[in-house]
Amino acid sequence: MCPRRISLACALLAAAASGAAFAQASAAFPCKIVKFVVPYPPGGSSDLLARMLVPGMNKLLDTTVVVENKAGAVGNIGTAQVSAAESDGCTWLLGNSSNIVVSRNLYKLTHDPVEYLKPVAEAAAVPMVLYVNANLPVKTFDEFIALLRKNPGKYSYASPGSGSTHQLLTEMMKIEFGLQAEHIPYKGSGPAIQDVIAGHVAFAFEGTSAIAPHVAGGKVKALATTGAARSNVLSTVPTMKELGHPKFVATNWYGVFVPAKTPDALVARLNAGLRQVVKSPEIVESLRKLDSRASDLDVAGFARFARFVQEEIPFWKSLADQTGVKVD
């Protein structure tokens, strides 16, 4: 597993092209109502991020952006809906690494998101954290690995769904350290976290922002994070890189997508608008609390984000092939 950004990092911030962007933003937007599809249930990271962006985009575009949660099949249902929508700029998707570049390797999809969607801008990127049930008799990552090696097959792990980045990352860890643990897929991160807390499953990977409150409350123990640097919200937890495992540098990325035939001029306008919105102090602070970090896409237009998505494709295909993950 090569060092990657599986990325929720605040991108979208280019002020360099602001002159043209402001001129475009002031013109009437072609849609009176924009449907912003979140392919997951309300309350998760994707939903929260989309709703963060809406007020600023409403004001900037002088339109009404409405979030629509279209959950199911690990994000594939909502993703397919946007893939098949009109290319008029009136339907957006809050996509992430799972439903854009992972699922295509594991599911038989009616619409390949890489082919049927056009990247607009990265919205954020957040590292993952390996966490365990509070009563598991380990305090460190090394103790955790030793425990699983001594008890092959005794402990199971949770994920928010088959084919998720969480599952692939765990399966890669199993291969790397010679572990045996059964995969228990859930319908979202919330139920997975609750079953780790309850002790029905022993451990899981999750975004740092989602698990940090449970760590602070003593409900679970965090053993390691996958960021290139220590987490903003779990600063006492070592990174996998610090522990001598640089293959596990990974962040889960999120971005805005539109149907593939949407005109480039309109996509450029949305890209500039999103970058303007994310510059606001309120959103910068909100993203920091979500453990979002700046990335090299901060000053990039939509073409750079499109290249980034293309760069992710072979990595995730290779990881799916190496782990042999099958949809449960």
Side-chain angles (χ1 to χ4, degrees):
M1 182 176 174
C2 301
R4 302 293 294 179
R5 303 171 320 114
I6 304 173
S7 315
L8 213 306
C10 164
L12 326 174
L13 306 180
S18 59
F22 278 104
Q24 287 184 326
S26 62
F29 194 68
C31 314
K32 291 184 178 180
I33 297 178
V34 172
K35 183 187 296 184
F36 196 178
V37 176
V38 175
Y40 302 101
S45 296
S46 295
D47 181 66
L48 179 60
L49 178 59
R51 294 178 191 278
M52 271 186 207
L53 299 174
V54 164
M57 292 305 288
N58 279 339
K59 183 176 181 180
L60 190 67
L61 299 177
D62 192 23
T63 189
T64 301
V65 182
V66 179
V67 173
E68 178 180 297
N69 295 92
K70 192 73 174 181
V74 199
N76 292 332
I77 292 176
T79 303
Q81 176 182 313
V82 179
S83 298
E86 293 293 325
S87 297
D88 53 8
C90 300
T91 307
W92 308 346
L93 174 76
L94 199 291
N96 63 25
S97 44
S98 287
N99 65 313
I100 299 298
V101 295
V102 175
S103 289
R104 64 194 300 272
N105 298 305
L106 303 172
Y107 290 85
K108 293 181 179 179
L109 303 176
T110 57
H111 296 80
D112 181 347
V114 171
E115 179 181 351
Y116 284 87
L117 292 171
K118 182 176 289 187
V120 175
E122 186 186 27
V126 69
M128 307 283 273
V129 58
L130 172 66
Y131 71 100
V132 302
N133 173 264
N135 295 320
L136 202 70
V138 299
K139 294 182 179 179
T140 68
F141 177 79
D142 287 344
E143 290 177 355
F144 167 76
I145 295 299
L147 178 68
L148 265 64
R149 282 175 172 166
K150 289 178 182 178
N151 299 275
K154 179 179 179 179
Y155 298 102
S156 57
Y157 77 91
S159 85
S162 295
S164 61
T165 53
H166 309 64
Q167 183 193 6
L168 289 180
L169 192 59
T170 310
E171 290 297 321
M172 192 63 194
M173 184 177 71
K174 286 168 58 179
I175 293 172
E176 184 74 10
F177 298 101
L179 309 177
Q180 294 180 33
E182 182 184 1
H183 174 222
I184 310 296
Y186 289 81
K187 293 182 178 180
S189 290
I193 292 170
Q194 290 305 314
D195 266 15
V196 175
I197 291 173
H200 300 312
V201 285
F203 68 98
F205 275 97
E206 185 51 66
T208 49
S209 57
I211 204 63
H214 303 294
V215 174
K219 295 180 179 179
V220 297
K221 291 182 283 191
L223 302 183
T225 64
T226 65
R230 289 207 177 193
S231 161
N232 293 328
V233 298
L234 293 171
S235 60
T236 62
V237 180
T239 67
M240 292 287 278
K241 184 178 180 180
E242 284 180 76
L243 296 172
H245 311 296
K247 291 181 180 180
F248 291 86
V249 175
T251 48
N252 199 20
W253 56 261
Y254 296 71
V256 177
F257 294 77
V258 293
K261 294 183 180 180
T262 304
D264 283 352
L266 187 53
V267 175
R269 179 177 176 185
L270 291 175
N271 174 277
L274 284 163
R275 288 186 282 129
Q276 172 115 359
V277 168
V278 180
K279 286 175 63 177
S280 71
E282 295 82 5
I283 292 188
V284 168
E285 177 61 16
S286 294
L287 287 170
R288 188 195 68 79
K289 289 178 179 178
L290 286 177
D291 210 19
S292 175
R293 289 182 180 274
S295 78
D296 63 350
L297 302 182
D298 281 356
V299 294
F302 75 92
R304 176 65 189 93
F305 181 49
R307 289 196 298 272
F308 166 75
V309 172
Q310 289 295 322
E311 291 163 4
E312 290 283 275
I313 294 171
F315 167 73
W316 286 108
K317 184 179 187 309
S318 174
L319 191 57
D321 291 344
Q322 289 178 56
T323 59
V325 165
K326 304 295 182 185
V327 177
D328 296 336

